[in-house]
Amino acid sequence: MTVAPVPSRTQYVLEGIRHAVLTGRLRPGQPLVETELALRFGVSKTPVREALKTLAGSGLVVMSQYKGVAVRTVDAAMAREVYDVRLLLEPEALRRVVESSLDLEADLGGAAAALARAARATDPAEHSLASGDFHRALCLPCGNPLLARMLDDLRDQAALVSAVVWTADPSGAREDAEHREILRLALRGDALGAAAALRRHIAGFVDRAFPEGRAVR
């Protein structure tokens, strides 16, 4: 029998904080105190400190010399910056996946599984996480590891925006319908159609969530 490796304490804390932030148990702007987190996760302060540094690097928390560490806040400007970059990268990544794949069912199987998980989600936060996994799985087989890593670097920030927006205005039915259409076009081998549908989906999300300004120009 193969025994799964035990995650490091730092990784355990990192994933715990990340999940708490992205499901709304830790709110934007909320201070993150090392001693409190150490007690919460049953570890010393060292893995907590390392986890917070990693999360700061991904843009999920902010660190200040005078104010300490806090969950990153979300505003229209931050959301549009994140989604502007996604808009530049994700449709191109998906186009490459569809055009180069020898087995679209296999390469996009993770996206289909994430979409099914979103449909089974019982609360907006879990639905939002599944939605983020859908987007990641669409672009992961793009054939360019650097492009995939760049999108991964945006993953937490985009998920934070989605979590905040969905807490105020759940839009799971609309998101699921758009995701199904993107996946349908991709599985059909329509690279340009799938990329265009993904582009409309990304641009439309921030435009609906922050109507005072456009996500992109």
Side-chain angles (χ1 to χ4, degrees):
M1 180 179 67
T2 302
V3 178
V6 178
S8 71
R9 287 183 175 84
T10 298
Q11 188 66 27
Y12 165 68
V13 174
L14 188 153
E15 291 301 331
I17 296 173
R18 179 178 182 273
H19 191 269
V21 170
L22 297 181
T23 54
R25 292 201 298 274
L26 292 172
R27 302 292 299 159
Q30 184 171 338
L32 299 173
V33 182
E34 288 182 10
T35 52
E36 294 177 358
L37 291 170
L39 286 172
R40 177 174 181 165
F41 291 103
V43 298
S44 69
K45 289 196 297 183
T46 299
V48 172
R49 187 176 302 119
E50 292 303 315
L52 291 175
K53 288 179 181 178
T54 300
L55 291 169
S58 71
L60 202 57
V61 308
V62 292
M63 307 181 85
S64 168
Q65 182 178 354
Y66 302 105
K67 296 182 179 179
V69 186
V71 179
R72 184 172 184 177
T73 57
V74 173
D75 58 23
M78 175 270 195
R80 286 194 291 270
E81 287 174 3
V82 171
Y83 274 71
D84 186 28
V85 178
R86 289 185 65 194
L87 192 56
L88 293 171
L89 299 181
E90 279 195 35
E92 174 62 16
L94 178 58
R95 183 190 67 79
R96 293 185 180 199
V97 171
V98 177
E99 287 189 348
S100 64
S101 175
L102 300 177
D103 187 346
L104 285 168
E105 291 282 350
D107 286 341
L108 296 176
L115 188 54
R117 198 170 86 248
R120 297 192 301 270
T122 57
D123 67 82
E126 292 297 337
H127 192 291
S128 181
L129 290 177
S131 175
D133 289 342
F134 171 82
H135 280 268
R136 183 175 189 270
L138 275 183
C139 301
L140 192 62
C142 67
N144 184 327
L146 178 58
L147 177 55
R149 284 198 302 273
M150 290 172 70
L151 286 169
D152 256 357
D153 287 344
L154 290 173
R155 183 166 56 118
D156 280 351
Q157 296 178 63
L160 180 59
V161 173
S162 295
V164 170
V165 170
W166 283 27
T167 296
D169 182 23
S171 56
R174 180 198 289 264
E175 298 293 313
D176 286 351
E178 293 177 358
H179 287 170
R180 285 194 296 271
E181 176 64 8
I182 293 164
L183 186 59
R184 183 188 71 81
L185 291 168
L187 289 172
R188 197 175 71 181
D190 184 352
L192 294 180
L198 180 57
R199 192 178 204 284
R200 289 193 299 271
H201 169 69
I202 295 170
F205 177 81
V206 176
D207 282 351
R208 292 191 301 270
F210 300 99
E212 69 274 18
R214 299 289 296 176
V216 291
R217 294 290 186 261

